[in-house]
Amino acid sequence: MLASQAAVRGLQRSLWRALSTARCVQAAHGKDVSADVLDCSQPQYCNRPDTPLPDIPFVRNLTADQMKLKEKEKGPWTKLTMEEKLALYRLSHELTYAEMRKGTNEWKTVVGVILYFMGFTGLVVWWQRVYVYGDVPQTFSEDWVEKQTKRMLDMRTNPIQGISTHWDYDKKQWK
Amino acid sequence: MSLPKPVMRGLLGKRLRLHLPLAFAFALTCAAAVKFGVTEPRKRAYAEFYKNYDATKEFNNMREAGVFESVRPSGE
């Protein structure tokens, strides 16, 4: 009986192993998970106009040249050339304010897809009107609407600014 | 390349100096438009209607048309 229990557990484990992603398995084994997983317990870099100084610099692992530049930065900044200043900016920031604010053409895609789906919905509704809906009530028939309008005019409905002002009661016709 | 220091203060005041009068002007214009486009014509229409309104004549016309239940047309 213990052997069969062990066999079942072994089967379950292999099934779980097969279904789970490699990353889960790695993490379960305590291995270092791949770099593209965000560790939110650490400070993150962000490009936000309201955060001019993000928590960490953009480039963490500096090359030898970049280290030299960082050393030079510790001295008087007037000695830095324009290219060096820009290089230092790009080390600590990914985008400039202009680049952050630039925006994309994404809205055109969004509007286009919205209109496309609205069009498709229109076709669906049309099909429904033809093949699904039953007849409209008799109160919409020409005859009924005529009698209804005559009754409204006889009652002097909205006589000041509405429908009865458009009817000529003497000539018995629309004005 | 030494950029000039950007303006740091008075930004809201500067915006309000333009937009507050604009907002008031827009609101007043809307109110005036509604007053002279809607309410004044409506008041005139009502005054015109009731200037020569004969209630009894209208009642009799409606009665003849047969819309009332309390009085039938004079013929019946």
Side-chain angles (χ1 to χ4, degrees):
Chain A
M1 189 176 113
L2 285 172
S4 59
Q5 273 186 337
V8 167
R9 200 148 301 141
L11 271 173
Q12 285 178 333
R13 204 166 295 143
S14 57
L15 186 65
W16 180 76
R17 200 78 83 83
L19 288 176
S20 69
T21 63
R23 194 164 294 148
C24 290
V25 174
Q26 269 187 316
H29 285 242
K31 289 206 188 105
D32 188 20
V33 207
S34 54
D36 55 343
V37 168
L38 211 59
D39 183 3
C40 287
S41 63
Q42 299 298 318
Q44 302 296 326
Y45 177 80
C46 62
N47 284 311
R48 291 179 57 109
D50 58 358
T51 314
L53 302 171
D55 297 334
I56 51 168
F58 179 57
V59 179
R60 303 301 303 280
N61 313 314
L62 300 169
T63 68
D65 282 337
Q66 289 168 336
M67 301 271 266
K68 273 204 285 236
L69 191 56
K70 277 292 187 187
E71 285 302 314
K72 190 168 178 194
E73 192 193 16
K74 292 183 183 164
W77 288 344
T78 48
K79 298 240 167 53
L80 294 170
T81 69
M82 187 46 56
E83 291 80 30
E84 284 172 338
K85 287 184 199 166
L86 290 173
L88 283 167
Y89 181 87
R90 289 292 174 181
L91 283 181
S92 48
H93 298 82
E94 183 190 6
L95 301 175
T96 66
Y97 268 79
E99 285 165 7
M100 267 193 265
R101 291 187 179 133
K102 196 165 58 164
T104 63
N105 284 327
E106 189 189 4
W107 68 272
K108 296 179 192 170
T109 313
V110 171
V111 170
V113 174
I114 287 173
L115 292 175
Y116 174 83
F117 277 108
M118 283 163 108
F120 178 72
T121 307
L123 291 172
V124 169
V125 170
W126 186 6
W127 181 88
Q128 282 179 329
R129 176 66 189 85
V130 172
Y131 289 102
V132 175
Y133 296 157
D135 280 334
V136 123
Q138 55 169 331
T139 56
F140 284 85
S141 66
E142 272 243 25
D143 188 46
W144 191 287
V145 170
E146 257 186 46
K147 296 211 183 95
Q148 182 176 281
T149 318
K150 178 171 188 332
R151 199 175 129 78
M152 283 169 72
L153 295 171
D154 287 340
M155 286 195 282
R156 310 297 193 269
T157 314
N158 281 333
I160 304 173
Q161 285 185 307
I163 188 174
S164 301
T165 56
H166 299 303
W167 179 258
D168 191 337
Y169 283 95
D170 302 316
K171 294 204 206 103
K172 303 244 192 299
Q173 63 187 25
W174 292 107
K175 287 188 187 160
Chain B
M1 176 176 94
S2 202
L3 292 170
K5 179 171 172 174
V7 179
M8 307 287 258
R9 292 158 186 258
L11 297 165
L12 180 63
K14 180 169 167 218
R15 179 188 164 82
L16 283 182
R17 206 158 300 134
L18 172 66
H19 285 79
L20 217 55
L22 220 64
F24 273 88
F26 178 69
L28 288 171
T29 312
C30 284
V34 169
K35 181 176 175 65
F36 292 110
V38 178
T39 58
E40 285 304 313
R42 187 170 290 165
K43 286 200 274 189
R44 264 181 274 127
Y46 272 73
E48 278 301 315
F49 180 79
Y50 284 110
K51 201 155 53 151
N52 303 314
Y53 183 64
D54 185 359
T56 321
K57 175 160 130 319
E58 292 297 318
F59 167 75
N60 283 321
N61 287 335
M62 283 194 254
R63 176 191 177 176
E64 297 314 316
V67 290
F68 291 127
E69 290 178 15
S70 49
V71 278
R72 300 312 306 165
S74 45
E76 294 167 23

